[in-house]
Short mmCIF file of all heavy atoms in Angstrom, two decimals:
data_model
loop_
_atom_site.label_atom_id
_atom_site.label_comp_id
_atom_site.label_asym_id
_atom_site.label_seq_id
_atom_site.Cartn_x
_atom_site.Cartn_y
_atom_site.Cartn_z
N MET A 1 -7.47 27.22 -17.80
CA MET A 1 -7.41 25.79 -17.71
C MET A 1 -8.74 25.20 -18.19
O MET A 1 -9.81 25.62 -17.85
CB MET A 1 -7.11 25.48 -16.24
CG MET A 1 -7.81 24.33 -15.62
SD MET A 1 -7.12 24.02 -14.00
CE MET A 1 -7.29 22.28 -14.02
N SER A 2 -8.64 24.26 -19.06
CA SER A 2 -9.84 23.71 -19.64
C SER A 2 -10.43 22.62 -18.77
O SER A 2 -9.72 21.83 -18.19
CB SER A 2 -9.52 23.11 -21.03
OG SER A 2 -8.56 22.10 -20.91
N PRO A 3 -11.75 22.63 -18.62
CA PRO A 3 -12.40 21.63 -17.77
C PRO A 3 -12.21 20.25 -18.33
O PRO A 3 -12.16 20.04 -19.57
CB PRO A 3 -13.86 22.06 -17.78
CG PRO A 3 -14.03 23.06 -18.86
CD PRO A 3 -12.67 23.53 -19.26
N ARG A 4 -12.11 19.29 -17.42
CA ARG A 4 -12.02 17.89 -17.88
C ARG A 4 -13.23 17.15 -17.31
O ARG A 4 -13.67 17.42 -16.20
CB ARG A 4 -10.74 17.24 -17.35
CG ARG A 4 -9.52 17.90 -17.91
CD ARG A 4 -8.34 16.92 -18.00
NE ARG A 4 -7.89 16.41 -16.75
CZ ARG A 4 -6.98 17.03 -15.99
NH1 ARG A 4 -6.47 18.17 -16.34
NH2 ARG A 4 -6.59 16.50 -14.85
N PRO A 5 -13.73 16.22 -18.07
CA PRO A 5 -14.93 15.46 -17.61
C PRO A 5 -14.55 14.40 -16.62
O PRO A 5 -13.41 13.94 -16.59
CB PRO A 5 -15.45 14.86 -18.91
CG PRO A 5 -14.22 14.67 -19.77
CD PRO A 5 -13.30 15.82 -19.40
N CYS A 6 -15.53 14.01 -15.83
CA CYS A 6 -15.37 12.88 -14.92
C CYS A 6 -15.04 11.64 -15.77
O CYS A 6 -15.54 11.48 -16.88
CB CYS A 6 -16.68 12.69 -14.19
SG CYS A 6 -16.73 11.24 -13.10
N SER A 7 -14.17 10.79 -15.27
CA SER A 7 -13.72 9.65 -16.05
C SER A 7 -14.65 8.46 -15.93
O SER A 7 -14.46 7.44 -16.63
CB SER A 7 -12.31 9.23 -15.63
OG SER A 7 -12.29 8.89 -14.27
N LYS A 8 -15.70 8.60 -15.10
CA LYS A 8 -16.68 7.52 -15.05
C LYS A 8 -17.50 7.51 -16.35
O LYS A 8 -17.99 8.54 -16.80
CB LYS A 8 -17.64 7.73 -13.87
CG LYS A 8 -16.98 7.52 -12.51
CD LYS A 8 -16.85 6.03 -12.22
CE LYS A 8 -16.27 5.86 -10.83
NZ LYS A 8 -16.01 4.42 -10.56
N VAL A 9 -17.65 6.36 -16.88
CA VAL A 9 -18.46 6.20 -18.10
C VAL A 9 -19.87 6.63 -17.83
O VAL A 9 -20.42 6.37 -16.79
CB VAL A 9 -18.42 4.72 -18.56
CG1 VAL A 9 -19.34 4.54 -19.80
CG2 VAL A 9 -17.01 4.29 -18.89
N SER A 10 -20.38 7.39 -18.76
CA SER A 10 -21.77 7.89 -18.72
C SER A 10 -21.97 9.06 -17.74
O SER A 10 -23.07 9.52 -17.54
CB SER A 10 -22.78 6.79 -18.39
OG SER A 10 -22.84 6.58 -17.01
N CYS A 11 -20.90 9.54 -17.10
CA CYS A 11 -21.03 10.67 -16.22
C CYS A 11 -20.70 11.93 -16.99
O CYS A 11 -19.67 11.98 -17.69
CB CYS A 11 -20.14 10.56 -15.01
SG CYS A 11 -20.24 11.91 -13.87
N GLN A 12 -21.53 12.94 -16.92
CA GLN A 12 -21.31 14.14 -17.66
C GLN A 12 -20.74 15.29 -16.83
O GLN A 12 -20.55 16.37 -17.33
CB GLN A 12 -22.64 14.62 -18.29
CG GLN A 12 -23.34 13.59 -19.15
CD GLN A 12 -22.54 13.26 -20.40
OE1 GLN A 12 -21.99 14.12 -21.03
NE2 GLN A 12 -22.46 11.99 -20.73
N GLU A 13 -20.51 15.01 -15.58
CA GLU A 13 -20.05 16.03 -14.67
C GLU A 13 -18.63 16.48 -14.94
O GLU A 13 -17.85 15.73 -15.55
CB GLU A 13 -20.12 15.57 -13.21
CG GLU A 13 -21.51 15.16 -12.72
CD GLU A 13 -22.44 16.38 -12.62
OE1 GLU A 13 -21.94 17.44 -12.16
OE2 GLU A 13 -23.61 16.25 -12.96
N GLN A 14 -18.32 17.68 -14.52
CA GLN A 14 -16.97 18.16 -14.63
C GLN A 14 -16.12 17.64 -13.49
O GLN A 14 -16.56 17.62 -12.33
CB GLN A 14 -16.98 19.66 -14.65
CG GLN A 14 -15.59 20.33 -14.82
CD GLN A 14 -15.70 21.82 -14.84
OE1 GLN A 14 -16.65 22.38 -15.38
NE2 GLN A 14 -14.69 22.49 -14.28
N ALA A 15 -14.92 17.19 -13.78
CA ALA A 15 -14.06 16.65 -12.75
C ALA A 15 -13.62 17.75 -11.80
O ALA A 15 -13.29 18.85 -12.21
CB ALA A 15 -12.86 15.97 -13.36
N THR A 16 -13.58 17.40 -10.50
CA THR A 16 -13.11 18.35 -9.51
C THR A 16 -11.96 17.81 -8.70
O THR A 16 -11.29 18.58 -7.99
CB THR A 16 -14.25 18.75 -8.53
OG1 THR A 16 -14.75 17.60 -7.94
CG2 THR A 16 -15.38 19.46 -9.28
N VAL A 17 -11.74 16.55 -8.74
CA VAL A 17 -10.62 15.94 -8.00
C VAL A 17 -9.89 14.94 -8.90
O VAL A 17 -10.42 14.45 -9.88
CB VAL A 17 -11.06 15.21 -6.74
CG1 VAL A 17 -11.85 16.13 -5.82
CG2 VAL A 17 -11.88 13.98 -7.07
N THR A 18 -8.66 14.70 -8.55
CA THR A 18 -7.89 13.67 -9.24
C THR A 18 -7.59 12.55 -8.28
O THR A 18 -7.18 12.76 -7.15
CB THR A 18 -6.56 14.28 -9.77
OG1 THR A 18 -6.87 15.21 -10.81
CG2 THR A 18 -5.68 13.15 -10.34
N LEU A 19 -7.86 11.36 -8.75
CA LEU A 19 -7.65 10.16 -7.94
C LEU A 19 -6.39 9.46 -8.48
O LEU A 19 -6.24 9.30 -9.68
CB LEU A 19 -8.88 9.27 -8.10
CG LEU A 19 -8.96 7.91 -7.46
CD1 LEU A 19 -10.45 7.55 -7.40
CD2 LEU A 19 -8.28 6.89 -8.31
N THR A 20 -5.48 9.15 -7.58
CA THR A 20 -4.25 8.49 -8.00
C THR A 20 -4.07 7.18 -7.25
O THR A 20 -4.19 7.13 -6.05
CB THR A 20 -3.02 9.40 -7.75
OG1 THR A 20 -3.27 10.65 -8.37
CG2 THR A 20 -1.77 8.77 -8.30
N TYR A 21 -3.77 6.13 -7.97
CA TYR A 21 -3.48 4.85 -7.33
C TYR A 21 -1.99 4.76 -7.05
O TYR A 21 -1.19 4.85 -7.97
CB TYR A 21 -3.88 3.67 -8.24
CG TYR A 21 -5.39 3.52 -8.35
CD1 TYR A 21 -6.10 3.95 -9.47
CD2 TYR A 21 -6.09 2.89 -7.32
CE1 TYR A 21 -7.45 3.79 -9.59
CE2 TYR A 21 -7.46 2.75 -7.42
CZ TYR A 21 -8.13 3.19 -8.54
OH TYR A 21 -9.47 3.02 -8.63
N VAL A 22 -1.67 4.61 -5.78
CA VAL A 22 -0.26 4.44 -5.42
C VAL A 22 -0.05 2.97 -5.09
O VAL A 22 -0.34 2.50 -3.99
CB VAL A 22 0.10 5.31 -4.18
CG1 VAL A 22 1.59 5.21 -3.86
CG2 VAL A 22 -0.25 6.78 -4.45
N TYR A 23 0.38 2.23 -6.11
CA TYR A 23 0.45 0.78 -5.99
C TYR A 23 1.42 0.32 -4.92
O TYR A 23 1.22 -0.64 -4.21
CB TYR A 23 0.83 0.19 -7.35
CG TYR A 23 -0.26 0.35 -8.34
CD1 TYR A 23 -0.28 1.42 -9.24
CD2 TYR A 23 -1.34 -0.54 -8.39
CE1 TYR A 23 -1.28 1.58 -10.18
CE2 TYR A 23 -2.35 -0.40 -9.31
CZ TYR A 23 -2.33 0.67 -10.21
OH TYR A 23 -3.35 0.85 -11.11
N ALA A 24 2.52 1.08 -4.77
CA ALA A 24 3.55 0.69 -3.81
C ALA A 24 3.03 0.67 -2.38
O ALA A 24 3.45 -0.16 -1.58
CB ALA A 24 4.75 1.62 -3.91
N ASP A 25 2.10 1.57 -2.10
CA ASP A 25 1.61 1.67 -0.72
C ASP A 25 0.14 1.21 -0.59
O ASP A 25 -0.47 1.37 0.44
CB ASP A 25 1.68 3.14 -0.23
CG ASP A 25 3.12 3.63 -0.19
OD1 ASP A 25 4.00 2.81 0.21
OD2 ASP A 25 3.38 4.76 -0.56
N SER A 26 -0.42 0.68 -1.67
CA SER A 26 -1.80 0.27 -1.69
C SER A 26 -2.72 1.41 -1.17
O SER A 26 -3.52 1.23 -0.27
CB SER A 26 -2.04 -1.00 -0.82
OG SER A 26 -1.38 -2.07 -1.38
N MET A 27 -2.50 2.56 -1.76
CA MET A 27 -3.28 3.73 -1.36
C MET A 27 -3.99 4.34 -2.56
O MET A 27 -3.46 4.33 -3.65
CB MET A 27 -2.40 4.80 -0.75
CG MET A 27 -1.90 4.52 0.66
SD MET A 27 -1.20 5.99 1.43
CE MET A 27 -0.31 6.76 0.09
N VAL A 28 -5.19 4.84 -2.28
CA VAL A 28 -5.90 5.62 -3.28
C VAL A 28 -5.91 7.07 -2.75
O VAL A 28 -6.44 7.32 -1.70
CB VAL A 28 -7.33 5.13 -3.47
CG1 VAL A 28 -8.07 5.96 -4.51
CG2 VAL A 28 -7.37 3.67 -3.86
N VAL A 29 -5.29 7.93 -3.49
CA VAL A 29 -5.13 9.29 -3.03
C VAL A 29 -6.05 10.21 -3.81
O VAL A 29 -6.03 10.26 -5.05
CB VAL A 29 -3.66 9.80 -3.17
CG1 VAL A 29 -3.53 11.27 -2.70
CG2 VAL A 29 -2.73 8.91 -2.42
N LEU A 30 -6.86 10.94 -3.09
CA LEU A 30 -7.76 11.95 -3.70
C LEU A 30 -7.19 13.34 -3.43
O LEU A 30 -6.91 13.65 -2.29
CB LEU A 30 -9.13 11.86 -3.08
CG LEU A 30 -10.00 10.70 -3.51
CD1 LEU A 30 -11.23 10.60 -2.65
CD2 LEU A 30 -10.39 10.81 -4.98
N GLY A 31 -7.06 14.13 -4.42
CA GLY A 31 -6.50 15.48 -4.22
C GLY A 31 -7.12 16.42 -5.23
O GLY A 31 -7.94 16.03 -6.08
N PRO A 32 -6.70 17.67 -5.17
CA PRO A 32 -7.18 18.64 -6.15
C PRO A 32 -6.90 18.20 -7.55
O PRO A 32 -5.89 17.48 -7.80
CB PRO A 32 -6.41 19.90 -5.78
CG PRO A 32 -5.99 19.72 -4.34
CD PRO A 32 -5.79 18.24 -4.22
N LEU A 33 -7.69 18.63 -8.47
CA LEU A 33 -7.51 18.24 -9.87
C LEU A 33 -6.10 18.56 -10.33
O LEU A 33 -5.61 19.68 -10.15
CB LEU A 33 -8.52 19.03 -10.71
CG LEU A 33 -8.75 18.52 -12.13
CD1 LEU A 33 -9.42 17.15 -12.12
CD2 LEU A 33 -9.61 19.52 -12.88
N SER A 34 -5.46 17.57 -10.90
CA SER A 34 -4.09 17.78 -11.35
C SER A 34 -4.05 18.61 -12.59
O SER A 34 -5.02 18.70 -13.36
CB SER A 34 -3.41 16.43 -11.65
OG SER A 34 -4.07 15.80 -12.74
N GLN A 35 -2.92 19.32 -12.78
CA GLN A 35 -2.82 20.18 -13.95
C GLN A 35 -2.73 19.36 -15.24
O GLN A 35 -3.19 19.79 -16.28
CB GLN A 35 -1.56 21.04 -13.83
CG GLN A 35 -1.63 22.05 -12.64
CD GLN A 35 -2.71 23.08 -12.86
OE1 GLN A 35 -2.80 23.63 -13.96
NE2 GLN A 35 -3.47 23.36 -11.83
N HIS A 36 -2.11 18.24 -15.12
CA HIS A 36 -1.93 17.39 -16.33
C HIS A 36 -2.40 15.99 -16.04
O HIS A 36 -2.10 15.48 -14.95
CB HIS A 36 -0.47 17.37 -16.73
CG HIS A 36 0.14 18.73 -16.92
ND1 HIS A 36 -0.11 19.51 -18.00
CD2 HIS A 36 0.97 19.45 -16.11
CE1 HIS A 36 0.54 20.63 -17.90
NE2 HIS A 36 1.18 20.64 -16.73
N PRO A 37 -3.07 15.38 -16.97
CA PRO A 37 -3.48 14.00 -16.81
C PRO A 37 -2.25 13.09 -16.66
O PRO A 37 -1.24 13.30 -17.33
CB PRO A 37 -4.22 13.65 -18.09
CG PRO A 37 -4.59 14.99 -18.69
CD PRO A 37 -3.53 15.95 -18.23
N GLU A 38 -2.33 12.12 -15.77
CA GLU A 38 -1.21 11.22 -15.54
C GLU A 38 -1.69 9.78 -15.70
O GLU A 38 -2.87 9.49 -15.52
CB GLU A 38 -0.62 11.44 -14.16
CG GLU A 38 0.07 12.79 -14.07
CD GLU A 38 0.46 13.13 -12.67
OE1 GLU A 38 0.68 12.21 -11.86
OE2 GLU A 38 0.53 14.35 -12.36
N PRO A 39 -0.75 8.89 -16.01
CA PRO A 39 -1.11 7.52 -16.39
C PRO A 39 -1.91 6.80 -15.31
O PRO A 39 -2.82 6.03 -15.68
CB PRO A 39 0.25 6.84 -16.58
CG PRO A 39 1.18 7.93 -16.85
CD PRO A 39 0.71 9.15 -16.11
N HIS A 40 -1.59 6.95 -14.06
CA HIS A 40 -2.31 6.22 -13.02
C HIS A 40 -3.32 7.08 -12.30
O HIS A 40 -3.72 6.80 -11.19
CB HIS A 40 -1.31 5.63 -12.01
CG HIS A 40 -0.37 4.65 -12.64
ND1 HIS A 40 -0.78 3.47 -13.24
CD2 HIS A 40 0.98 4.69 -12.84
CE1 HIS A 40 0.25 2.82 -13.75
NE2 HIS A 40 1.34 3.53 -13.51
N SER A 41 -3.74 8.14 -12.94
CA SER A 41 -4.67 9.08 -12.31
C SER A 41 -5.99 9.10 -13.08
O SER A 41 -6.03 8.90 -14.28
CB SER A 41 -4.11 10.49 -12.24
OG SER A 41 -2.97 10.55 -11.45
N TYR A 42 -7.03 9.33 -12.32
CA TYR A 42 -8.37 9.44 -12.91
C TYR A 42 -9.04 10.67 -12.36
O TYR A 42 -8.99 10.94 -11.18
CB TYR A 42 -9.20 8.23 -12.55
CG TYR A 42 -8.58 6.93 -13.03
CD1 TYR A 42 -7.66 6.24 -12.25
CD2 TYR A 42 -8.86 6.44 -14.30
CE1 TYR A 42 -7.03 5.09 -12.70
CE2 TYR A 42 -8.25 5.27 -14.78
CZ TYR A 42 -7.35 4.61 -13.97
OH TYR A 42 -6.76 3.47 -14.42
N ASP A 43 -9.67 11.41 -13.23
CA ASP A 43 -10.38 12.61 -12.82
C ASP A 43 -11.77 12.21 -12.45
O ASP A 43 -12.47 11.50 -13.21
CB ASP A 43 -10.41 13.63 -13.94
CG ASP A 43 -9.01 14.08 -14.33
OD1 ASP A 43 -8.09 14.11 -13.45
OD2 ASP A 43 -8.79 14.41 -15.50
N LEU A 44 -12.26 12.73 -11.33
CA LEU A 44 -13.61 12.39 -10.90
C LEU A 44 -14.39 13.65 -10.50
O LEU A 44 -13.79 14.60 -10.00
CB LEU A 44 -13.60 11.45 -9.68
CG LEU A 44 -13.10 10.03 -9.91
CD1 LEU A 44 -13.12 9.28 -8.58
CD2 LEU A 44 -13.92 9.31 -10.93
N CYS A 45 -15.67 13.60 -10.71
CA CYS A 45 -16.52 14.69 -10.23
C CYS A 45 -16.73 14.55 -8.73
O CYS A 45 -16.37 13.52 -8.14
CB CYS A 45 -17.87 14.67 -10.94
SG CYS A 45 -18.87 13.21 -10.57
N ALA A 46 -17.28 15.58 -8.09
CA ALA A 46 -17.45 15.54 -6.65
C ALA A 46 -18.31 14.34 -6.20
O ALA A 46 -18.02 13.67 -5.21
CB ALA A 46 -18.07 16.85 -6.17
N ARG A 47 -19.36 14.09 -6.93
CA ARG A 47 -20.29 13.02 -6.56
C ARG A 47 -19.57 11.66 -6.55
O ARG A 47 -19.68 10.88 -5.64
CB ARG A 47 -21.45 13.00 -7.53
CG ARG A 47 -22.57 12.12 -7.13
CD ARG A 47 -23.84 12.47 -7.89
NE ARG A 47 -23.62 12.50 -9.34
CZ ARG A 47 -23.81 11.43 -10.13
NH1 ARG A 47 -24.24 10.31 -9.64
NH2 ARG A 47 -23.62 11.52 -11.42
N HIS A 48 -18.82 11.38 -7.63
CA HIS A 48 -18.13 10.11 -7.70
C HIS A 48 -16.99 9.97 -6.73
O HIS A 48 -16.64 8.90 -6.28
CB HIS A 48 -17.69 9.83 -9.14
CG HIS A 48 -18.81 9.30 -9.99
ND1 HIS A 48 -19.23 9.95 -11.12
CD2 HIS A 48 -19.60 8.22 -9.84
CE1 HIS A 48 -20.25 9.23 -11.63
NE2 HIS A 48 -20.48 8.19 -10.91
N SER A 49 -16.32 11.11 -6.44
CA SER A 49 -15.22 11.03 -5.48
C SER A 49 -15.75 10.70 -4.08
O SER A 49 -15.09 10.02 -3.31
CB SER A 49 -14.40 12.30 -5.46
OG SER A 49 -15.20 13.38 -4.91
N GLU A 50 -16.93 11.18 -3.77
CA GLU A 50 -17.49 10.86 -2.46
C GLU A 50 -17.96 9.41 -2.35
O GLU A 50 -17.96 8.84 -1.27
CB GLU A 50 -18.69 11.81 -2.19
CG GLU A 50 -18.27 13.20 -1.82
CD GLU A 50 -19.45 14.18 -1.84
OE1 GLU A 50 -20.59 13.73 -1.89
OE2 GLU A 50 -19.16 15.39 -1.86
N ARG A 51 -18.34 8.86 -3.46
CA ARG A 51 -18.80 7.46 -3.44
C ARG A 51 -17.70 6.48 -3.62
O ARG A 51 -17.92 5.28 -3.67
CB ARG A 51 -19.80 7.28 -4.57
CG ARG A 51 -21.10 7.98 -4.38
CD ARG A 51 -21.79 8.02 -5.71
NE ARG A 51 -23.23 8.11 -5.56
CZ ARG A 51 -24.08 7.54 -6.42
NH1 ARG A 51 -23.65 6.81 -7.41
NH2 ARG A 51 -25.37 7.70 -6.28
N LEU A 52 -16.50 7.00 -3.77
CA LEU A 52 -15.37 6.10 -4.06
C LEU A 52 -15.20 5.02 -3.01
O LEU A 52 -15.25 5.27 -1.84
CB LEU A 52 -14.09 6.96 -4.10
CG LEU A 52 -12.80 6.15 -4.30
CD1 LEU A 52 -12.64 5.75 -5.72
CD2 LEU A 52 -11.64 6.91 -3.81
N SER A 53 -14.99 3.82 -3.48
CA SER A 53 -14.60 2.76 -2.58
C SER A 53 -13.29 2.15 -3.06
O SER A 53 -13.16 1.85 -4.23
CB SER A 53 -15.72 1.70 -2.53
OG SER A 53 -15.96 1.17 -3.78
N ALA A 54 -12.40 2.00 -2.16
CA ALA A 54 -11.11 1.46 -2.53
C ALA A 54 -11.15 -0.04 -2.66
O ALA A 54 -12.02 -0.67 -2.09
CB ALA A 54 -10.08 1.85 -1.45
N PRO A 55 -10.26 -0.59 -3.44
CA PRO A 55 -10.14 -2.06 -3.54
C PRO A 55 -9.85 -2.63 -2.18
O PRO A 55 -9.34 -1.95 -1.29
CB PRO A 55 -8.97 -2.26 -4.51
CG PRO A 55 -8.82 -0.98 -5.25
CD PRO A 55 -9.31 0.10 -4.34
N GLN A 56 -10.18 -3.89 -2.00
CA GLN A 56 -9.92 -4.60 -0.74
C GLN A 56 -8.47 -4.45 -0.32
O GLN A 56 -7.57 -4.65 -1.09
CB GLN A 56 -10.23 -6.09 -0.92
CG GLN A 56 -10.11 -6.90 0.36
CD GLN A 56 -11.52 -7.16 0.91
OE1 GLN A 56 -12.48 -7.38 0.21
NE2 GLN A 56 -11.63 -7.09 2.23
N GLY A 57 -8.28 -4.04 0.95
CA GLY A 57 -6.95 -3.92 1.47
C GLY A 57 -6.27 -2.60 1.14
O GLY A 57 -5.14 -2.35 1.56
N TRP A 58 -6.96 -1.75 0.39
CA TRP A 58 -6.40 -0.46 0.06
C TRP A 58 -6.94 0.60 0.99
O TRP A 58 -8.01 0.48 1.57
CB TRP A 58 -6.76 -0.07 -1.37
CG TRP A 58 -5.94 -0.81 -2.40
CD1 TRP A 58 -5.81 -2.17 -2.50
CD2 TRP A 58 -5.15 -0.24 -3.42
NE1 TRP A 58 -4.98 -2.45 -3.56
CE2 TRP A 58 -4.56 -1.31 -4.14
CE3 TRP A 58 -4.87 1.07 -3.85
CZ2 TRP A 58 -3.73 -1.08 -5.25
CZ3 TRP A 58 -4.05 1.29 -4.94
CH2 TRP A 58 -3.47 0.20 -5.61
N GLN A 59 -6.14 1.64 1.12
CA GLN A 59 -6.44 2.75 2.03
C GLN A 59 -6.77 3.97 1.16
O GLN A 59 -6.14 4.22 0.17
CB GLN A 59 -5.23 3.02 2.90
CG GLN A 59 -5.40 4.11 3.91
CD GLN A 59 -4.10 4.38 4.65
OE1 GLN A 59 -3.11 3.74 4.40
NE2 GLN A 59 -4.13 5.37 5.54
N VAL A 60 -7.80 4.72 1.57
CA VAL A 60 -8.14 5.94 0.86
C VAL A 60 -7.62 7.12 1.62
O VAL A 60 -7.90 7.29 2.82
CB VAL A 60 -9.68 6.04 0.70
CG1 VAL A 60 -10.02 7.34 -0.01
CG2 VAL A 60 -10.21 4.86 -0.07
N VAL A 61 -6.86 7.95 0.96
CA VAL A 61 -6.33 9.16 1.57
C VAL A 61 -6.94 10.36 0.85
O VAL A 61 -6.82 10.51 -0.38
CB VAL A 61 -4.79 9.22 1.41
CG1 VAL A 61 -4.27 10.55 1.97
CG2 VAL A 61 -4.14 8.03 2.11
N ARG A 62 -7.64 11.16 1.62
CA ARG A 62 -8.30 12.35 1.04
C ARG A 62 -7.57 13.60 1.47
O ARG A 62 -7.49 13.92 2.65
CB ARG A 62 -9.74 12.42 1.53
CG ARG A 62 -10.61 11.30 0.94
CD ARG A 62 -11.97 11.34 1.58
NE ARG A 62 -12.73 10.13 1.23
CZ ARG A 62 -13.55 10.07 0.18
NH1 ARG A 62 -13.74 11.12 -0.58
NH2 ARG A 62 -14.18 8.94 -0.09
N HIS A 63 -7.06 14.30 0.50
CA HIS A 63 -6.47 15.62 0.81
C HIS A 63 -7.62 16.63 0.84
O HIS A 63 -8.76 16.26 0.66
CB HIS A 63 -5.45 15.99 -0.26
CG HIS A 63 -4.20 15.13 -0.17
ND1 HIS A 63 -3.43 15.07 0.97
CD2 HIS A 63 -3.65 14.29 -1.07
CE1 HIS A 63 -2.44 14.24 0.75
NE2 HIS A 63 -2.54 13.75 -0.46
N ALA A 64 -7.28 17.84 1.07
CA ALA A 64 -8.32 18.89 1.23
C ALA A 64 -9.03 19.16 -0.07
O ALA A 64 -8.71 20.09 -0.78
CB ALA A 64 -7.68 20.14 1.78
N VAL A 65 -9.97 18.33 -0.38
CA VAL A 65 -10.74 18.55 -1.59
C VAL A 65 -12.20 18.91 -1.31
O VAL A 65 -12.91 19.29 -2.18
CB VAL A 65 -10.71 17.30 -2.51
CG1 VAL A 65 -9.32 17.05 -3.02
CG2 VAL A 65 -11.26 16.09 -1.81
N LEU A 66 -12.59 18.74 -0.05
CA LEU A 66 -13.97 19.07 0.27
C LEU A 66 -14.10 20.57 0.42
O LEU A 66 -13.22 21.26 0.87
CB LEU A 66 -14.38 18.38 1.59
CG LEU A 66 -14.27 16.85 1.56
CD1 LEU A 66 -14.65 16.26 2.91
CD2 LEU A 66 -15.15 16.30 0.46
N GLY A 67 -15.25 21.08 0.00
CA GLY A 67 -15.40 22.52 0.04
C GLY A 67 -14.81 23.14 -1.20
O GLY A 67 -14.24 22.49 -2.05
N ASP A 68 -14.97 24.41 -1.29
CA ASP A 68 -14.59 25.11 -2.51
C ASP A 68 -13.21 25.77 -2.34
O ASP A 68 -13.06 26.88 -1.93
CB ASP A 68 -15.61 26.19 -2.81
CG ASP A 68 -15.77 26.38 -4.29
OD1 ASP A 68 -14.96 25.85 -5.07
OD2 ASP A 68 -16.71 27.07 -4.68
N VAL A 69 -12.19 24.98 -2.59
CA VAL A 69 -10.83 25.50 -2.36
C VAL A 69 -10.30 26.25 -3.58
O VAL A 69 -9.35 27.00 -3.49
CB VAL A 69 -9.82 24.36 -2.02
CG1 VAL A 69 -10.20 23.74 -0.69
CG2 VAL A 69 -9.81 23.33 -3.13
N GLY A 70 -10.94 26.06 -4.69
CA GLY A 70 -10.55 26.78 -5.87
C GLY A 70 -9.23 26.29 -6.45
O GLY A 70 -8.67 25.27 -6.06
N PHE A 71 -8.67 27.05 -7.37
CA PHE A 71 -7.45 26.68 -8.01
C PHE A 71 -6.38 27.72 -7.86
O PHE A 71 -5.63 28.05 -8.74
CB PHE A 71 -7.69 26.39 -9.50
CG PHE A 71 -8.72 25.30 -9.74
CD1 PHE A 71 -10.01 25.61 -10.12
CD2 PHE A 71 -8.35 23.98 -9.56
CE1 PHE A 71 -10.94 24.59 -10.29
CE2 PHE A 71 -9.30 22.98 -9.74
CZ PHE A 71 -10.58 23.29 -10.12
N ALA A 72 -6.33 28.29 -6.65
CA ALA A 72 -5.41 29.41 -6.44
C ALA A 72 -3.97 29.05 -6.59
O ALA A 72 -3.16 29.89 -6.93
CB ALA A 72 -5.67 29.97 -5.03
N SER A 73 -3.62 27.82 -6.30
CA SER A 73 -2.22 27.44 -6.39
C SER A 73 -1.77 27.37 -7.82
O SER A 73 -0.64 27.22 -8.11
CB SER A 73 -2.00 26.09 -5.68
OG SER A 73 -2.72 25.07 -6.39
ZN1 ZN B 101 -18.74 11.50 -12.12
#
């Protein structure tokens, strides 16, 4: 699997999580890096995922992305 860069402009880090906006539920979901880029998803490095702030009224849902879970699945 080829590494993907963080989607933040000017960030050179490798992405470790995928952030998905679920508009229907006003949720921002953070999960393991997705296998394929998706239209409403953004890849983020660990640093930027930790600093993430959701838009007003949105809820942030973090799946098990903290720690080194690897890509075993
Ligand atoms: Zn970053």
Side-chain angles (χ1 to χ4, degrees):
M1 142 171 214
S2 60
R4 297 209 296 273
C6 177
S7 60
K8 289 283 184 186
V9 175
S10 84
C11 181
Q12 304 294 319
E13 300 291 322
Q14 182 177 324
T16 57
V17 303
T18 292
L19 177 160
T20 305
Y21 288 103
V22 183
Y23 292 95
D25 298 320
S26 294
M27 285 194 321
V28 180
V29 179
L30 286 169
L33 195 66
S34 66
Q35 294 294 316
H36 306 284
E38 291 170 27
H40 297 298
S41 295
Y42 301 88
D43 299 328
L44 292 178
C45 66
R47 190 163 53 92
H48 279 120
S49 68
E50 284 167 15
R51 291 165 155 213
L52 174 79
S53 58
Q56 186 101 38
W58 284 56
Q59 181 184 359
V60 178
V61 177
R62 292 172 190 268
H63 290 301
V65 294
L66 301 178
D68 214 350
V69 295
F71 299 103
S73 63

